[in-house]
């Protein structure tokens, strides 16, 4: 009886350690068996059309993340933040987190600098964004698993998600909470329902960015790829590795035959550059520069106010 509380406290630390240990073992095994000549050839076979399709899918995914952020901020009526600022901050936060890792900590710092919000407001925004992104990934996994069994089941699940979104909207899921009312940190299910379609499309766009880079026949079907990709992403998140780096690759490579691994690895590396580094350079770094440039006038105004007071 006394061992269970200790195990529960140690679980959040032991699980990432176990995942990282298994990842290192799998990476070493894959490196020994990898056909590096085939990997170079797979890189050369990725065409310009596939690269542009990946860029467009990446743009769609980050647009979905920006809309989710705007929805979460809109639910905080006491925050005077424009929709454009919220969308840019959300997209930049994810761009930084995908490369640097620690989404929760980094996202809190980014949003506090941009919104000047108090701790409860930041927690509500973070939980709302996290719930929406999780809902998109979980829905994608469920629909993909259903499609492996029957396409009709998958379409019924898609219809259920849309109906649930309409239900949540009619129950006031898209409305802001009244100022002064008692607000929950974790959003109610009907409040998150209205963002489900956008979250589902965002998850699909993010996976499409990798799918268009894959050689034909790497996975038997789109549903099989979706199920594998979502599970690999979940393992990467549980490992706490920045962007799931190494963990996601190892999980994906372990799911395909040996002859398909060079093409898959080439596609993942190209995906890392286009879905990770490109938004980091075009959204994350400009956001950091923007905040730094706006900090200097604010600091000067604060010093001037202190001198006047003195």
């Amino acid at each position: 009886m006394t061992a269970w509380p200790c195990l529960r406290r140690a679980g959040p630390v032991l699980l990432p350690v176990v995942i990282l240990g298994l990842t290192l073992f799998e990476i070493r095994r894959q490196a020994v068996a990898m056909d590096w000549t085939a990997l170079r050839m797979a890189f050369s076979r990725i065409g310009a059309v596939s690269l542009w399709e990946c860029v467009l899918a990446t743009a769609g995914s980050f647009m979905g993340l920006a809309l989710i952020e705007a929805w979460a901020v809109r639910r905080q009526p006491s925050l005077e933040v424009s929709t454009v600022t919220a969308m840019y901050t959300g997209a930049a936060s994810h761009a930084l987190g995908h490369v640097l890792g620690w989404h929760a900590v980094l996202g809190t710092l980014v949003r506090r600098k941009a919104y000047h919000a108090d701790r409860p407001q930041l927690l509500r925004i973070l939980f709302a964004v996290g719930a929406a992104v999780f809902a998109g990934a979980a829905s994608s996994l469920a629909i993909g698993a259903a499609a492996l069994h029957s396409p009709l089941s998958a379409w019924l699940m898609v219809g259920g998600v849309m109906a649930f979104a309409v239900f949540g909207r009619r129950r006031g899921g898209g409305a802001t909470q009244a100022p002064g009312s008692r607000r929950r940190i974790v959003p109610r299910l009907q409040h998150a329902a209205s963002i489900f379609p956008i979250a589902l499309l965002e998850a699909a766009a993010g996976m499409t960015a990798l799918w268009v880079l894959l050689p034909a026949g790497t996975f038997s079907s789109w549903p099989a790829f979706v199920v594998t990709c979502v599970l690999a992403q979940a393992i990467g998140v549980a490992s706490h590795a920045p962007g799931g780096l190494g963990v996601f690759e190892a999980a994906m490579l372990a799911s395909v035959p040996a002859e398909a691994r060079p093409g898959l690895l080439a596609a993942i590396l190209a995906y890392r550059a286009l879905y990770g580094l490109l938004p980091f350079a075009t959204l994350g770094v400009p956001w950091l520069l923007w905040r730094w440039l706006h900090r200097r006038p604010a600091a000067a105004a604060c010093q001037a106010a202190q001198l006047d007071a003195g």
Side-chain angles (χ1 to χ4, degrees):
M1 296 295 292
T2 58
W4 171 245
C6 297
L7 184 62
R8 187 173 59 181
R9 287 194 297 268
V13 177
L14 290 178
L15 181 60
V17 172
V18 171
I19 292 176
L20 291 175
L22 294 174
T23 298
L24 291 175
F25 172 80
E26 182 63 22
I27 289 177
R28 183 178 180 277
R29 189 178 72 87
Q30 295 288 351
V32 172
M34 179 61 64
D35 187 344
W36 298 103
T37 302
L39 176 62
R40 289 192 294 270
M41 293 178 62
F43 266 120
S44 64
R45 294 194 188 102
I46 300 177
V49 174
S50 297
L51 294 176
W52 277 111
E53 289 174 343
C54 178
V55 171
L56 291 176
T58 298
S61 176
F62 275 85
M63 177 57 70
L65 293 171
L67 291 173
I68 291 172
E69 182 77 17
W71 164 81
V73 172
R74 181 175 174 269
R75 296 186 66 250
Q76 314 303 319
S78 58
L79 281 183
E80 297 181 359
V81 178
S82 68
T83 301
V84 174
T85 300
M87 292 178 66
Y88 183 37
T89 301
S93 174
H94 286 282
L96 293 169
H98 287 167
V99 174
L100 302 178
W102 297 99
H103 276 73
V105 176
L106 189 59
T108 301
L109 294 175
V110 168
R111 290 172 175 89
R112 190 170 72 175
K113 292 291 185 181
Y115 303 151
H116 303 289
D118 56 29
R119 189 177 177 217
Q121 290 172 328
L122 290 174
L123 287 176
R124 283 192 290 269
I125 293 173
L126 284 171
F127 273 107
V129 172
V133 173
F134 174 79
S139 299
S140 299
L141 177 62
I143 293 171
L148 291 175
H149 174 70
S150 168
L152 178 60
S153 301
W155 284 112
L156 289 175
M157 293 196 68
V158 172
V161 171
M162 298 304 176
F164 186 50
V166 173
F167 168 79
R169 188 73 181 182
R170 293 186 64 180
R171 290 288 301 272
T176 58
Q177 296 174 344
S181 63
R182 184 179 178 182
R183 282 172 271 176
R184 294 161 54 94
I185 295 295
V186 180
R188 293 182 183 274
L189 190 59
Q190 65 265 28
H191 292 161
S194 60
I195 202 67
F196 268 21
I198 293 177
L200 182 59
L201 291 174
E202 183 279 318
M207 288 182 285
T208 301
L210 176 56
W211 173 260
V212 297
L213 298 173
L214 293 173
T218 303
F219 289 90
S220 59
S221 63
W222 165 258
F225 165 75
V226 168
V227 172
T228 305
C229 188
V230 173
L231 292 177
Q233 289 174 342
I235 297 172
V237 171
S239 70
H240 296 303
L245 185 62
V247 181
F248 175 76
E249 287 80 355
M252 292 291 288
L253 291 173
S255 66
V256 299
E259 59 271 14
R261 288 169 186 165
L264 174 58
L265 182 57
I268 292 177
L269 293 177
Y271 166 81
R272 286 287 189 186
L274 295 177
Y275 192 85
L277 296 180
L278 182 61
F280 178 80
T282 57
L283 294 173
V285 173
W287 186 91
L288 293 174
L289 293 175
W290 173 62
R291 292 307 308 169
W292 182 72
L293 291 174
H294 280 72
R295 179 185 177 185
R296 295 177 63 185
C302 182
Q303 290 178 357
Q306 290 176 352
L307 290 175
D308 293 340

